[in-house]
Amino acid sequence: PTMGVPTVVYDPAIRASLSKEYEFGAELQFLNNRLGADISVYQKDGVDQILPLSTTPSSGSSSVFINAGLIRSKGWDLILNARPVSGRDFRWDIQFNLSRNISEVLDLDTSRNIRNYSLGTASFGPTVNSRVGEEWGTFVGRSVRYDAKTGLPVINAAGTIQRDNNVILGSALPDYTGGGVTTFSYKAFSASATFSFQKGGQFFSTSKMFLLYSGLHSQTVGLNDKGNPIRDAVADGGGVRLDGALADGTTKTVYVDAQTYFGNMQAIHSNFMEDASYLKMSEARVSYDLPVSNWTKFVKNASLSVFARNPWLISAKTKTWGIDPSEIENANSFYEGGQLPPVRSFGVNLSVGF
């Protein structure tokens, strides 16, 4: 048998985290309920967040849980409903929702001089942080160093791009999220489509990093401006053309061996920060209300539907890399690592009411 002792301790003064929230809203209906709006504005303060802090092994524990933090979330939600067409047999209904949320870290623990808390680390990538004065979910890592005058990357004589450490690379939080449902109904038939979208937010892509590093992406082949394959030796006219600026501001153009150029990119996190914006059709459905009243008195209603879920990623900047931003799988690290193709399903549904 083996024995062990707990390595996690708790501050004796620890207390439950609390939140304080204000919300104001209004619901409006116009044109005999054919047009409606529901809007709310809120602010929520989360205080005394319970956080685990790493401790030195010599203390006999691995981490200690304390109360720390004041995170303020504020934003608004908007829901619009409309019925543009309403006839005896035909009807068109639309619902649209849009929301914006900003979560800012106002304080962690001033008395302990805690100004930053790491939420997670992307695989081979930057850290995701709760940092005082910044948005919750701020990426911090290595970035390309740019010349302030020319805007070109700073390079050395050999063509190696220089980098800066501990740079804020962006936020994981989106600027806006939303979606919509449109439904066409004709007698007993109906057809609907559900859409969802996100504007803004970032994530770190390990797929892009390894595709470039290993030379498996189409970007690592092709011709340079001389008309020669970039994978050919620089001495033979190949290589990747790189326009940069030296440390003294002098502009310089060099040709870099393709394997060296794409291999060196791996060390700079900003090269693989991707926009998480997307627009997709989440579901498409066609239904038929069965005339059960003609068949039995025990069933009040019944509907037969065929559907497709996740049928169409309409737009995403990462679509060309085979990445669906809506399927990011790592909760607090906000990165994708060799994302599998998203699941697309089809089915038939029978709904019966008694």
Side-chain angles (χ1 to χ4, degrees):
T2 60
M3 297 180 63
V5 295
T7 60
V8 176
V9 297
Y10 298 85
D11 186 338
I14 198 168
R15 54 194 178 275
S17 60
L18 300 173
S19 63
K20 179 173 62 177
E21 183 173 2
Y22 304 95
E23 183 172 343
F24 304 92
E27 184 176 352
L28 308 171
Q29 296 290 335
F30 306 95
L31 304 175
N32 294 324
N33 296 327
R34 290 184 62 177
L35 180 63
D38 188 345
I39 185 169
S40 60
V41 181
Y42 63 88
Q43 177 177 298
K44 180 179 180 180
D45 290 347
V47 297
D48 291 334
Q49 305 291 305
I50 299 176
L51 302 178
L53 300 181
S54 299
T55 59
T56 59
S58 59
S59 67
S61 62
S62 60
S63 61
V64 56
F65 281 82
I66 66 168
N67 287 112
L70 170 56
I71 300 176
R72 173 166 294 169
S73 299
K74 56 184 179 180
W76 49 264
D77 296 297
L78 173 65
I79 301 175
L80 298 175
N81 296 281
R83 181 170 289 176
V85 179
S86 180
R88 186 177 65 178
D89 294 327
F90 180 77
R91 187 175 72 249
W92 178 22
D93 296 300
I94 301 174
Q95 184 182 78
F96 174 78
N97 66 84
L98 180 67
S99 63
R100 174 162 172 76
N101 176 75
I102 301 173
S103 294
E104 182 181 3
V105 183
L106 301 182
D107 186 33
L108 286 176
D109 194 324
T110 304
S111 63
R112 292 183 173 91
N113 197 31
I114 299 175
R115 305 285 295 174
N116 186 85
Y117 177 74
S118 177
L119 302 170
T121 302
S123 180
F124 297 93
T127 58
V128 186
N129 302 269
S130 178
R131 174 176 288 192
V132 175
E134 302 290 343
E135 276 194 299
W136 184 93
T138 296
F139 286 99
V140 177
R142 297 187 289 270
S143 176
V144 174
R145 182 183 302 164
Y146 291 97
D147 180 69
K149 185 177 181 181
T150 64
L152 295 172
V154 177
I155 61 175
N156 61 18
T160 302
I161 296 175
Q162 304 301 289
R163 68 192 189 202
D164 291 318
N165 299 321
N166 298 317
V167 177
I168 293 178
L169 304 176
S171 173
L173 297 182
D175 298 324
Y176 300 95
T177 58
V181 181
T182 180
T183 304
F184 297 92
S185 303
Y186 178 72
K187 293 186 177 181
F189 292 90
S190 66
S192 65
T194 304
F195 300 88
S196 61
F197 69 89
Q198 173 175 308
K199 173 67 172 66
Q202 292 183 290
F203 68 94
F204 182 82
S205 174
T206 55
S207 293
K208 180 178 180 180
M209 180 185 69
F210 280 118
L211 284 171
L212 293 176
Y213 176 79
S214 59
L216 294 178
H217 195 266
S218 60
Q219 190 174 320
T220 64
V221 296
L223 305 179
N224 59 22
D225 61 313
K226 298 178 181 179
N228 298 320
I230 61 173
R231 293 197 178 195
D232 283 1
V234 174
D236 297 330
V240 178
R241 173 174 172 156
L242 177 58
D243 297 315
L246 299 176
D248 61 3
T250 305
T251 58
K252 184 179 179 63
T253 297
V254 295
Y255 288 85
V256 184
D257 172 75
Q259 184 173 356
T260 301
Y261 175 81
F262 291 109
N264 287 342
M265 291 179 68
Q266 184 185 24
I268 303 178
H269 301 141
S270 61
N271 290 325
F272 311 107
M273 297 300 301
E274 296 296 319
D275 189 341
S277 301
Y278 68 88
L279 170 63
K280 70 185 304 182
M281 180 185 288
S282 304
E283 183 180 273
R285 179 180 293 265
V286 176
S287 302
Y288 175 65
D289 294 329
L290 300 171
V292 291
S293 60
N294 300 331
W295 306 340
T296 177
K297 297 180 180 180
F298 298 102
V299 179
K300 293 183 178 180
N301 55 73
S303 177
L304 181 65
S305 304
V306 292
F307 62 85
R309 292 187 177 134
N310 197 27
W312 186 18
L313 178 61
I314 300 170
S315 174
K317 292 184 178 180
T318 56
K319 189 176 180 179
T320 56
W321 294 88
I323 299 169
D324 182 349
S326 68
E327 302 288 337
I328 300 301
E329 67 269 27
N330 297 284
N332 284 342
S333 298
F334 298 98
Y335 75 94
E336 66 78 29
Q339 185 184 87
L340 296 174
V343 176
R344 179 175 297 150
S345 59
F346 303 88
V348 178
N349 180 70
L350 176 62
S351 177
V352 180
F354 297 93

